Amino acid sequence: MAPPTIRFVEAPTAAANDPAAELAQGLMSRPAVVSPKFFYDALGSALFCAITELPEYYPTRTEAAVFDHHGEAIAAELLTRLGRAFAFVDLGAGDGAKAARWFPLLRPSRYIAVDIAADFLRAALPSLQQRFPQLEMAGVATDFSRHLALPGGLHEGPALVFYPGSSIGNFAPDEALRLLCEARELSAGGALLIGADLCKPPEVLEAAYDDALGVTAAFNLNLLRHVNRVLGADFDVRDWQHVAFFDRASSRIEMHLQARHELCVNWRDRQRGFAAGERIHTENSYKWTVASFEALLRDAGWRHVRHWTDERRWIGVFTAQA
Ligand code: AVJ
C-alpha cells in the first residue's frame, strides 16, 4: 500500500508576513533588537546542530538522556492522560527526529509537524513518512512566536503538544504563559510534553552560551548575514563581537552583538548608527526551576503536572493534561 500523501499548509501570521519590516523596526529601536528566529537560515541551523555537539552545551544531550531513561514512564503517563486516538503536534519540528523516537511508544494516529522553515518540513517529512507509513502526516509552515493556532481541518479530537529542546526559554514569562494557554486550547482536551532548561550555576550557563571553540559566537554573528539577505542591509560580521551572560534578576541568558567600533549600517533608504560598544540584543534564554515551571503550567490551565529530570537536575521534562 502506498503511504498516504503528506499535506502541507503555509499559514503566515500577521507578524511573519513582513520579516523585513519587523527587522527594520527592531534595528531602529533603542537598544536595537533582532528576534532569535533570525538565527535559523541554512548555515544557522547547521551551526545550531554543531552547538548541540559541544561539551559545554548540555541541554540537548541532557534532555535526550531524560527521554531515554524515563521514556516508558513518560509515555505511560501521557497515554493515561490522552485516552484513545490523538494527533501528535510537534512545535518547531525541524527534521522530526525528536518526535519520531516517541512514535513507537505513543502510537499517535496523526503527526502534525509545525515549523517556521517550510523548506525544512518539505525536505524532512517524506523520509519520515517512509519510516512510519501507517502514520498520517501534515506539515504546517508558520511562525507561532506571537500566536499559536493551527489551520482548521488538520485534526479532529485531542492532540499531544510536543515542545522539546527548552525552546520555551526564548519566551519571557508572560509570553510563555500566553503560548502555553494557546497550546492547551490547540490540544483540545489532550496533553503536553515539554522540556525546560533549569537554573544552575552561572558558570555552567555562561560556558554553554560562550563556548571555547566559538561556535556559539559564529551562530550569533551569522544572524547578521541572514539580516543582510532579508533586509538588504550591509552588516560586516567582522565589526561585531559575541556577548553572552547570565542575568540573575531575570533568570535568563542574554546574547548580544556588540559593535567593535563606531559604525553605520545601511539598508534601502535607511540607516542606523552604532556607537563603539553599543549592542544588538539577539536572544533571551530563560531558566526555570521545577517549582516555577510547574506554577507556569498550572497558571496556563494545565492539570496533572508531572516532571522528570536528570541526576544534576539540569533539565526538566514536564507532562500535563489539558
Ligand atoms: C534553541 C532556544 C533552546 O536557548 O539554548 C543555543 C538556542 N542559543 N545557543 C537555547 C541557543 C545559543 C537554544 N534554544
Side-chain angles (χ1 to χ4, degrees), residues 168-169 171-181 288 293 296 300:
I168 190 74
F171 295 87
D174 59 331
E175 299 170 326
L177 179 67
R178 191 257 316 147
L179 181 71
L180 291 167
C181 286
W288 297 84
F293 201 75
L296 177 71

Side-chain angles (χ1 to χ4, degrees), residues 150-236:
L150 293 183
L154 278 176
H155 72 102
E156 282 157 40
L160 169 66
V161 177
F162 181 55
Y163 198 35
S166 58
S167 300
I168 190 74
N170 276 160
F171 295 87
D174 59 331
E175 299 170 326
L177 179 67
R178 191 257 316 147
L179 181 71
L180 291 167
C181 286
E182 291 171 345
R184 184 173 50 76
E185 273 151 40
L186 188 158
S187 83
L192 177 70
L193 174 56
I194 187 168
D197 196 10
L198 302 178
C199 295
K200 58 184 66 60
E203 328 65 271
V204 177
L205 289 168
E206 287 180 347
Y209 292 85
D210 192 8
D211 62 279
L213 284 178
V215 181
T216 308
F219 174 73
N220 196 8
L221 288 161
N222 176 66
L223 168 140
L224 296 175
R225 293 196 174 153
H226 191 189
V227 172
N228 281 349
R229 285 195 311 276
V230 174
L231 195 57
D234 63 353
F235 278 103
D236 184 342

Side-chain angles (χ1 to χ4, degrees), residues 233-276:
D234 63 353
F235 278 103
D236 184 342
V237 166
R238 291 182 192 278
D239 292 337
W240 299 84
Q241 190 183 356
H242 169 64
V243 175
F245 56 86
F246 183 66
D247 182 69
R248 202 180 281 274
S250 49
S251 193
R252 69 190 192 195
I253 284 280
E254 293 187 13
M255 297 216 310
H256 301 259
L257 290 162
Q258 181 170 307
R260 292 182 187 275
H261 49 82
E262 191 185 323
L263 58 88
C264 190
V265 179
N266 305 279
W267 67 93
R268 299 173 192 188
D269 53 352
R270 303 183 66 180
Q271 54 182 355
R272 161 78 198 248
F274 288 89

Side-chain angles (χ1 to χ4, degrees), residues 9 38 45 47 108-109 113 223 266 270 284 294:
V9 191
F38 291 101
S45 299
L47 286 167
S109 56
L223 168 140
N266 305 279
R270 303 183 66 180
N284 291 320
E294 285 181 342

